[in-house]
């Protein structure tokens, strides 16, 4: 009987194999680091709206009848809409779609919502939801993203921000995309679409005046949408602007200093807004008085203006292994720290770990099942970046240097090839226990992102320096170097099969994924999409590639997520670039995936 059961179990496993496990990192907010709070308008009596957990709850909206608070949550998997009574009771799920649903706003009669969703074509569009029937209908469509809708008090208009008609230009001297956004209005039946703001920079988060004749928004230059993305920009100034919806005439709204965002016209006609800068983060009012303080991002007031609900960032540990939702059940997603890489057994992985909150200060080895971690390398004044395990599991290879492009926020600019030298960097190797450190490269170039060949004798890396840019191959035994490519190429990874090297190349302002043979022949382009395709890795058998892409565009205004690139979904494709499948769908930056090898059973060889 036992033999029969074993045969049945083996047959079932063959028909329904266990999902592939992919570990990845997320920039910006992590689970447990954001939550909903309710307070008096002046900040008193602040308390959580819901019981604290590991969920991501954000973007609340108070209903005009004062009864409900709608919000977005990842608690059931993908981002969906929920509502709850103002005392935190009566939690109800409103949407149940594998797509991204977010940024809800109530109709004036509190019977409908307008919200952002990717359920049509993967980009951010506006939909409406009947709260009695839970039936959803599309309101906008087309290229680009639509964000932060607001229903007019008279019910005749919906204002929103949109990057439709915009390209994705990169920031000055950077590789992150700017966010060019305009203010639009549309009737709830989809007619009457018109733009209010002048195209070319950024205006976002429109909110209505009580007479439904004006919307107020926050505005800045396109370049500042990059500068103000960190959690607490050091300084800066954004403007609050009022738009007449009939004439589109714009007029300034008096307000205090700082990086102001998310303005609201209160029932008293007073302006309230969120300050994001590090000088005084929190909610402020037009007369200068403060409200709730902290890293607030989205706020909504009760109908009488006496109370406010908001989401804000809170302190929480960085994940070492947290299971996340996946669009494809064939792939299990595990959130960890930056740039993971597995040893051949699949039992351990190595990450670019933080030390005292500073990214990229260590090489850290993590147990794949328990999450227990150990720092095996750190050096004062240096950053360790992109560690990779050797094919035999007996060494870890990585880059170390200043790496200001990745670790210094947005302060470093890269306008010329010389700028990319960035103080120089070298490739080093250590044993998995941290012993045996030795440098493999030398000289003035910035050498990094190494990946070993299956033979364990050679490794490929990217180099920026006096001898040019591109990919190089070094023989570890004799330190001979072969020039593989010339140009702005990065993130090289040697295939487990040994026949190909994958890398990311800048093409016409975007980054795309290519492969090349180790002898320099047969260069092939695998991706071709708007935005960046990068941060890729091979499956253990070399048959598939998992990578991060911004091809779906922004899903929210750039300043809300606190991520360098507030977009970035994980995709899987075959090694030839075909059969592309999307794994994640959210507004965060998911990146640097690592494919876990199938772990060996005890006694198995």
């Amino acid at each position: 009987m036992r033999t029969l059961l074993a045969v049945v179990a083996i047959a079932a496993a063959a028909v329904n194999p266990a999902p592939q496990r992919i570990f990845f990192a997320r920039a910006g907010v992590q689970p447990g680091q954001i939550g909903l709070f309710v307070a008096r308008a002046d900040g008193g009596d602040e308390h959580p709206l819901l019981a604290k957990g590991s969920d991501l709850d954000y973007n609340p909206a108070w209903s005009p009848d004062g009864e409900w608070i709608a919000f977005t949550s990842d608690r059931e998997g993908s981002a969906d809409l929920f509502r709850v009574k103002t005392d935190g009771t009566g939690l109800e799920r409103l949407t149940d779609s594998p797509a991204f649903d977010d940024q809800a706003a109530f109709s004036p009669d509190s019977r409908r919502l307008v919200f952002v969703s990717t359920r049509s074509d993967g980009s951010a569009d506006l939909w409406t939801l009947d709260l009695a029937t839970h039936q959803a209908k599309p309101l906008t469509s087309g290229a680009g993203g639509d964000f932060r809708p607001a229903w007019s008090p008279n019910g005749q208009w919906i204002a929103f921000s949109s990057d439709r008609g915009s390209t994705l230009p990169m920031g000055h001297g950077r590789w992150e995309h700017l966010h060019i956004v305009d203010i639009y209005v549309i009737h709830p039946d989809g007619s009457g679409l018109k733009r209010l703001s002048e195209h070319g920079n950024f205006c976002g988060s429109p909110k209505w005046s009580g007479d439904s004749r004006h919307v107020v928004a926050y505005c800045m230059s396109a370049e500042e949408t990059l500068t103000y993305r960190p959690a607490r920009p050091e300084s800066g100034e954004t403007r609050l602007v009022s738009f007449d919806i009939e004439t589109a005439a714009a007029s300034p709204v008096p307000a205090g200093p700082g990086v102001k965002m998310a303005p609201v016209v209160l029932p008293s006609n007073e302006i309230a807004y969120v300050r994001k800068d590090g000088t005084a983060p929190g909610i402020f009012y037009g007369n200068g008085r403060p409200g709730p303080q902290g890293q607030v991002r989205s706020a909504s007031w009760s109908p009488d203006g006496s109370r406010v609900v908001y989401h804000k960032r809170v302190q929480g540990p960085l994940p070492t292994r947290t299971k996340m939702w996946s669009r494809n059940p064939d792939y299990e997603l595990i959130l960890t720290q930056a740039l993971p890489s597995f040893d051949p057994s699949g039992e351990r992985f190595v990450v670019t770990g933080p030390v005292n909150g500073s990214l990229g200060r260590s090489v850290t080895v993590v147990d794949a099942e328990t999450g227990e971690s150990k720092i095996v390398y750190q050096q004062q004044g240096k950053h360790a970046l992109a560690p990779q395990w050797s094919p035999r599991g007996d060494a870890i290879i990585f880059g170390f240097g200043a790496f200001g492009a990745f670790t210094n926020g947005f302060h470093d600019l890269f306008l010329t090839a010389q700028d990319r030298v960035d103080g120089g960097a070298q490739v080093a190797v250590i044993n998995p226990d941290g012993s045996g450190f030795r440098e493999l490269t030398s000289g003035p170039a910035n050498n990094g992102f190494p990946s070993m060949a299956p033979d364990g004798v050679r490794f490929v890396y990217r180099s920026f320096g006096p001898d040019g840019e591109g990919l190089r191959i070094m023989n570890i035994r004799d330190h001979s170097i072969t020039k593989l490519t010339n140009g702005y190429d990065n993130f090289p990874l040697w295939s487990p099969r040994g026949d190909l090297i994958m890398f990311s190349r800048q093409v016409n302002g975007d980054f795309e994924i290519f492969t090349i043979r180790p002898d320099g022949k047969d260069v092939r382009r695998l991706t071709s999409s708007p935005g960046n395709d990068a941060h890729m890795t091979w499956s253990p058998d070399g048959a598939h590639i998992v990578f991060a892409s911004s091809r779906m565009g922004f899903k929210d205004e750039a300043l809300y997520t606190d991520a360098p690139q507030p977009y970035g979904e994980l995709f899987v494709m075959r090694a030839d670039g075909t059969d592309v499948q999307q794994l994640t769908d959210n507004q965060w930056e998911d990146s640097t995936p690592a494919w876990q090898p199938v772990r060996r059973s005890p006694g198995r060889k």
Side-chain angles (χ1 to χ4, degrees):
M1 183 65 177
R2 290 181 179 178
T3 302
L4 177 60
L5 291 176
V7 171
V8 171
I10 293 171
V15 174
N16 300 299
Q20 299 286 308
R21 300 179 79 186
I22 294 173
F23 285 58
F24 70 101
R26 174 174 290 174
V29 176
Q30 310 292 331
Q33 295 184 348
I34 192 172
L36 300 178
F37 295 84
V38 177
R40 295 197 307 265
D42 63 4
D45 189 30
E46 180 185 72
H47 58 275
L49 175 63
L50 299 160
K52 180 173 174 57
S54 60
D55 308 307
L56 287 169
D57 300 331
Y58 46 100
N59 289 333
W62 211 307
S63 65
D65 63 10
E67 296 294 320
W68 295 94
I69 292 171
F71 64 97
T72 307
S73 180
D74 297 358
R75 62 182 55 228
E76 298 292 342
S78 63
D80 279 305
L81 302 182
F82 292 75
R83 70 174 176 177
V84 68
K85 293 289 188 179
T86 59
D87 63 359
T89 64
L91 180 66
E92 178 186 355
R93 187 175 185 176
L94 300 177
T95 64
D96 184 7
S97 168
F100 168 80
D101 294 337
D102 186 27
Q103 303 161 51
F106 282 93
S107 62
D109 62 7
S110 300
R111 294 180 178 179
R112 289 185 291 169
L113 292 176
V114 59
F115 65 102
V116 172
S117 182
T118 61
R119 59 181 69 191
S120 177
D121 62 359
S123 63
D125 298 315
L126 299 187
W127 287 63
T128 58
L129 180 74
D130 185 295
L131 289 172
T133 65
H134 287 196
Q135 293 297 307
K137 295 181 179 180
L139 178 63
T140 65
S141 62
D146 300 331
F147 325 104
R148 297 283 160 179
W151 219 307
S152 66
N154 64 12
Q156 296 179 12
W157 291 99
I158 292 172
F160 63 99
S161 62
S162 179
D163 60 18
R164 57 180 59 208
S166 301
T167 59
L168 287 172
M170 290 186 181
H172 179 65
R174 301 292 304 184
W175 61 85
E176 301 90 355
H177 293 294
L178 304 179
H179 204 191
I180 297 175
V181 170
D182 296 306
I183 302 297
Y184 287 81
V185 292
I186 191 172
H187 290 305
D189 65 1
S191 64
L193 177 70
K194 61 179 177 179
R195 177 169 54 85
L196 300 181
S197 58
E198 184 178 351
H199 183 68
N201 286 299
F202 176 97
C203 282
S205 294
K207 291 293 190 297
W208 290 90
S209 61
D211 61 8
S212 299
R213 296 174 58 186
H214 298 83
V215 294
V216 63
Y218 72 112
C219 302
M220 69 194 80
S221 70
E223 197 68 40
E224 287 170 322
T225 67
L226 181 62
T227 306
Y228 300 152
R229 285 181 202 173
R232 291 187 179 186
E234 292 88 344
S235 61
E237 188 85 21
T238 59
R239 299 172 290 115
L240 301 186
V241 177
S242 177
F243 294 94
D244 186 301
I245 66 163
E246 292 298 327
T247 66
S251 57
V253 175
V259 180
K260 300 175 288 292
M261 57 184 291
V264 173
V265 181
L266 299 177
S268 63
N269 287 325
E270 184 179 18
I271 293 292
Y273 53 89
V274 170
R275 274 188 66 174
K276 189 178 182 180
D277 56 281
T279 304
I283 293 173
F284 284 83
Y285 298 91
N287 62 8
R289 63 187 173 94
Q293 297 299 284
Q295 295 189 55
V296 177
R297 291 295 174 267
S298 182
S300 179
W301 278 257
S302 61
D304 63 2
S306 64
R307 291 188 295 165
V308 60
V309 61
Y310 47 92
H311 86 247
K312 70 175 181 178
R313 295 190 61 172
V314 295
Q315 294 296 319
L318 291 174
T320 53
R321 57 178 320 281
T322 303
K323 185 175 179 180
M324 305 300 289
W325 177 82
S326 173
R327 285 174 57 103
N328 189 328
D330 292 337
Y331 299 93
E332 182 178 296
L333 300 179
I334 308 294
L335 182 65
T336 186
Q337 297 174 24
L339 296 155
S341 171
F342 275 93
D343 76 347
S345 73
E347 296 176 354
R348 299 177 295 173
F349 61 93
V350 62
V351 297
T352 297
V355 175
N356 297 325
S358 180
L359 175 66
R361 284 294 176 90
S362 74
V363 174
T364 301
V365 174
V366 184
D367 186 286
E369 290 304 312
T370 67
E372 294 180 1
S373 62
K374 177 185 178 182
I375 295 174
V376 296
Y377 169 85
Q378 60 178 312
Q379 182 177 339
Q380 186 68 29
K382 297 287 186 180
H383 290 89
L385 201 65
Q388 290 284 320
W389 224 291
S390 68
R392 290 193 294 266
D394 57 349
I396 297 169
I397 191 169
F398 61 97
F400 74 98
F403 289 121
F406 300 93
T407 60
N408 196 26
F410 302 104
H411 299 289
D412 295 349
L413 298 180
F414 303 89
L415 304 174
T416 67
Q418 180 60 35
D419 293 334
R420 289 196 282 275
V421 175
D422 194 20
Q426 304 303 335
V427 173
V429 65
I430 57 172
N431 298 325
D433 63 2
S435 65
F437 173 87
R438 59 191 175 106
E439 297 183 27
L440 299 178
T441 62
S442 61
N446 186 309
N447 303 313
F449 295 95
S451 175
M452 281 193 181
D455 61 17
V457 175
R458 297 167 295 165
F459 69 93
V460 62
Y461 63 101
R462 74 103 170 94
S463 183
F464 299 145
D467 293 332
E469 301 178 337
L471 305 183
R472 308 290 184 262
I473 293 176
M474 173 178 279
N475 185 299
I476 296 176
R477 291 172 178 166
D478 61 14
H479 283 209
S480 60
I481 297 173
T482 301
K483 184 177 291 188
L484 186 63
T485 71
N486 293 291
Y488 198 167
D489 298 335
N490 211 344
F491 308 125
L493 284 165
W494 215 304
S495 167
R497 298 175 175 178
D499 57 336
L500 294 172
I501 292 171
M502 173 171 55
F503 62 98
S504 182
R505 169 172 288 178
Q506 190 177 48
V507 182
N508 298 325
D510 288 331
F511 286 92
E512 306 291 350
I513 298 173
F514 289 73
T515 57
I516 188 173
R517 283 170 36 185
D519 60 6
K521 298 178 181 178
D522 195 21
V523 177
R524 293 188 178 184
R525 181 173 177 173
L526 303 186
T527 65
S528 181
S529 66
N532 292 336
D533 294 330
H535 298 302
M536 54 283 182
T537 195
W538 296 97
S539 62
D541 61 3
H544 289 83
I545 294 166
V546 57
F547 64 101
S549 177
S550 62
R551 62 184 62 194
M552 294 306 181
F554 288 84
K555 293 185 173 71
D556 197 356
E557 295 169 5
L559 267 62
Y560 278 92
T561 63
D562 300 332
Q565 301 175 121
Y567 51 66
E569 311 297 356
L570 299 183
F571 291 80
V572 169
M573 63 183 175
R574 296 187 185 277
D576 61 2
T578 62
D579 191 25
V580 179
Q581 301 180 47
Q582 187 174 351
L583 302 185
T584 64
D585 190 0
N586 56 60
Q587 66 180 21
W588 320 110
E589 183 190 352
D590 293 340
S591 61
T592 64
W595 205 306
Q596 184 180 25
V598 176
R599 297 176 68 245
R600 302 189 183 106
S601 301
R604 181 181 175 185
K605 295 183 179 180

